[in-house]
C-alpha cells in the first residue's frame, strides 16, 4: 500500500512514470561540507535519513538517492556515473581534473588555497619560490600556478597536516587551504600568495540522460530558490507619502514594492525585498529619506 502510494505520487508529480529513475547525489560523508550539503538538500524539500554509518539513502518525497562519500572521491564517481551529481569544494574539482561540469556555486565552505612561508622569511614576491620545496595536498593546482608564473620549484605532495612541513624541515613553503588564517598563525607561517578562491559547488556528469536531466533541473530550481532567499531579506517600513518614490528607488523589490496606506493620514507602509550584501547601506539611505519602524524578516524560499 505504502509502495503503491509512493509510485503514484511520482507519476503524478512528474507527469511520467519515473519510478525507475533516481537521481544519485553524492555528498561528503563527514567533514566541513557535510552540514551545508545536508542543509541545502533538506531546505530544498528533500526528506531523508542520514544515519552515521549509512552509505546511501533514498529520499522519501523526491526520486533522489543520496550517496555519502569522501569528498576527494566525488569527482571520480560523478565522472564514472556512479553518482549523477555531487556537492564538493571547487578546490577538489580543480585538483582532480575530471570530466565533470560545475553547475552552481553554493555559497558555503568558502576558503582560499594559498602559499604560506615561515614568518621570519623576507618574502619578496613570487620569484622567492624559485628552487624552493613546497608541501601541498594540491600538486596539480600548485603546478599550474608555478607554470603560469614561470617558477621552477619542488612540489612535495603530502595528504594531511601540511602546515607542519616547514617547521620539521620537510619544505620551505606550503600551499594549503586557509579560511580564518589561525592555523597558519599558530604554525608560525604567513600567507603570501592566493592561488585560488573556493566554495562548495554542485557538479554534474556532462551527459545526464533525459529523465535524470528533468529531475536535476527540478532540484536545481529549488536550490536556486533557497540560495536567493538566503541572500535576501523581506523589509517592512513606514514612511510619509511624499518619501515613497525616493524609498522605492532604493528598494525596488522583485517587481515593485507593495504600498499600503496607514490609518494615520499621509503615511504608508511599504514592503519590499532587499539584497543581504548591501543591506546596511540601504537602511542608512532609507532612514535618511524618512523611513521609520523598519522591520527586517528572513525569507525561506524565493521564486522569482
Ligand atoms: O574525509 P574527507 O576526505 O571527506 O574530508 P577532508 O578531511 O578531505 O576535507 P574537509 O572536511 O577538511 O574539507 C572539505 C572541504 O571544505 C575542502 O575541500 C574545502 O573545499 C572546504 N574548506 C573550507 C576547508 C576549509 N574551509 C579549511 N579551512 N577545508 C579545509 N580547511 C582546513 C585547512 O586545510 C587547514 O588545515 O582548515 C585549516 C585552515 O583553517 P583556518 O580557519 O585555520 O585558516
Ligand atoms: Zn578529503
Amino acid at each position: 500500500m505504502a509502495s503503491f502510494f509512493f509510485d503514484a505520487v511520482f507519476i503524478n508529480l512528474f507527469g511520467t512514470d519515473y519510478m525507475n529513475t533516481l537521481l544519485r547525489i553524492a555528498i561528503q560523508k563527514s567533514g566541513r561540507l557535510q552540514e551545508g550539503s545536508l542543509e541545502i538538500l533538506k531546505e530544498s524539500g528533500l526528506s531523508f535519513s542520514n544515519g552515521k554509518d549509512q552509505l546511501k539513502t533514498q529520499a522519501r518525497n523526491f526520486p533522489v538517492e543520496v550517496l555519502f562519500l569522501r569528498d576527494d572521491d566525488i569527482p571520480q564517481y560523478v565522472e564514472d556515473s556512479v553518482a549523477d551529481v555531487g556537492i564538493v569544494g571547487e578546490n577538489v574539482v580543480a585538483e582532480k581534473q575530471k570530466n565533470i561540469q560545475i553547475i552552481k556555486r553554493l555559497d558555503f565552505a568558502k576558503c582560499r588555497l594559498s602559499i604560506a612561508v615561515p614568518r621570519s622569511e623576507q618574502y619578496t614576491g613570487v620569484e622567492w619560490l624559485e628552487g624552493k620545496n613546497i608541501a601541498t595536498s594540491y600538486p596539480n593546482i600548485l603546478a599550474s600556478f608555478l607554470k603560469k608564473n614561470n617558477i621552477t620549484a619542488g612540489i612535495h605532495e603530502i595528504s594531511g597536516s601540511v602546515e607542519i612541513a616547514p617547521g620539521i624541515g620537510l619544505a620551505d613553503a606550503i600551499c594549503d587551504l586557509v579560511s580564518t588564517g589561525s592555523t597558519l598563525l599558530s604554525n608560525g607561517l604567513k600567507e603570501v600568495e592566493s592561488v585560488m578562491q573556493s566554495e562548495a559547488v554542485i557538479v554534474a556528469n556532462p551527459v545526464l540522460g533525459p529523465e535524470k536531466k528533468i529531475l536535476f533541473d527540478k532540484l536545481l530550481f529549488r536550490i536556486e530558490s533557497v540560495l536567493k532567499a538566503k541572500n535576501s531579506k523581506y523589509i517592512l517600513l513606514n514612511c510619509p507619502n511624499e518619501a515613497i518614490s525616493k524609498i522605492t528607488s532604493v528598494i525596488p523589490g522583485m517587481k515593485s514594492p507593495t504600498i499600503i496606506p496607514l490609518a494615520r493620514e499621509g503615511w504608508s507602509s511599504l514592503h519590499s525585498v532587499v539584497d543581504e550584501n548591501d543591506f546596511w547601506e540601504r537602511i542608512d539611505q532609507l532612514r535618511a529619506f524618512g523611513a521609520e519602524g523598519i522591520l527586517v524578516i528572513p525569507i525561506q524560499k524565493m521564486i522569482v
Side-chain angles (χ1 to χ4, degrees), residues 46-73:
L46 270 58
S47 161
F48 57 88
S49 60
N50 55 290
K52 219 166 161 256
D53 298 318
Q54 251 173 324
L55 295 178
K56 62 180 188 175
T57 188
Q58 200 171 322
R60 288 182 273 268
N61 54 354
F62 196 91
V64 150
E65 187 168 58
V66 183
L67 313 182
F68 302 101
L69 301 170
R70 282 199 62 204
D71 68 341
D72 315 71
D73 297 334

Side-chain angles (χ1 to χ4, degrees), residues 282-294:
R282 297 270 186 258
I283 296 289
D284 289 343
Q285 287 173 299
L286 296 174
R287 290 179 64 220
F289 290 151
E292 290 179 7
I294 303 174

Side-chain angles (χ1 to χ4, degrees), residues 73-108:
D73 297 334
I74 291 175
Q76 181 73 63
Y77 279 119
V78 173
E79 183 184 84
D80 294 345
S81 296
V82 174
D84 303 301
V85 303
I87 299 180
V88 68
E90 251 173 312
N91 50 304
V92 172
V93 180
E95 179 59 30
K96 299 293 177 186
Q97 303 179 351
K98 300 296 173 192
N99 181 27
I100 55 175
Q101 287 173 340
I102 292 185
I103 306 294
K104 182 118 206 111
R105 294 194 160 72
L106 295 176
D107 210 22
F108 71 89

Side-chain angles (χ1 to χ4, degrees), residues 100-147:
I100 55 175
Q101 287 173 340
I102 292 185
I103 306 294
K104 182 118 206 111
R105 294 194 160 72
L106 295 176
D107 210 22
F108 71 89
K110 290 190 173 177
C111 57
R112 54 198 184 274
L113 184 66
S114 292
I115 294 179
V117 301
R119 262 207 308 275
S120 54
E121 291 292 340
Q122 292 281 329
Y123 186 81
T124 45
V126 75
E127 63 283 355
W128 184 93
L129 297 168
E130 184 67 37
K132 300 283 197 315
N133 264 321
I134 311 172
T136 188
S137 308
Y138 295 89
N140 291 326
I141 304 176
L142 177 59
S144 65
F145 173 84
L146 294 173
K147 189 166 176 227

Side-chain angles (χ1 to χ4, degrees), residues 126 130 140-152 193-197:
V126 75
E130 184 67 37
N140 291 326
I141 304 176
L142 177 59
S144 65
F145 173 84
L146 294 173
K147 189 166 176 227
K148 203 174 77 199
N149 287 284
N150 288 319
I151 302 290
T152 307
E193 301 286 343
S194 173
V195 175
M196 82 171 281
Q197 300 287 323

Side-chain angles (χ1 to χ4, degrees), residues 226-301:
V226 171
L227 291 175
K228 274 188 207 120
K230 272 197 171 48
N231 288 323
S232 305
K233 296 270 182 277
Y234 192 72
I235 180 165
L236 304 90
L237 56 86
N238 298 328
C239 65
N241 288 344
E242 55 274 17
I244 289 175
S245 65
K246 275 187 183 163
I247 289 180
T248 303
S249 70
V250 176
I251 45 170
M254 291 204 281
K255 231 184 204 92
S256 69
T258 304
I259 298 167
I260 306 164
L262 288 187
R264 185 169 154 191
E265 189 72 20
W267 280 72
S268 294
S269 168
L270 193 143
H271 303 189
S272 191
V273 171
V274 64
D275 195 314
E276 172 89 48
N277 295 322
D278 46 27
F279 175 75
W280 286 109
E281 204 180 309
R282 297 270 186 258
I283 296 289
D284 289 343
Q285 287 173 299
L286 296 174
R287 290 179 64 220
F289 290 151
E292 290 179 7
I294 303 174
L295 300 180
V296 179
I297 300 168
I299 300 172
Q300 233 189 13
K301 308 274 186 304

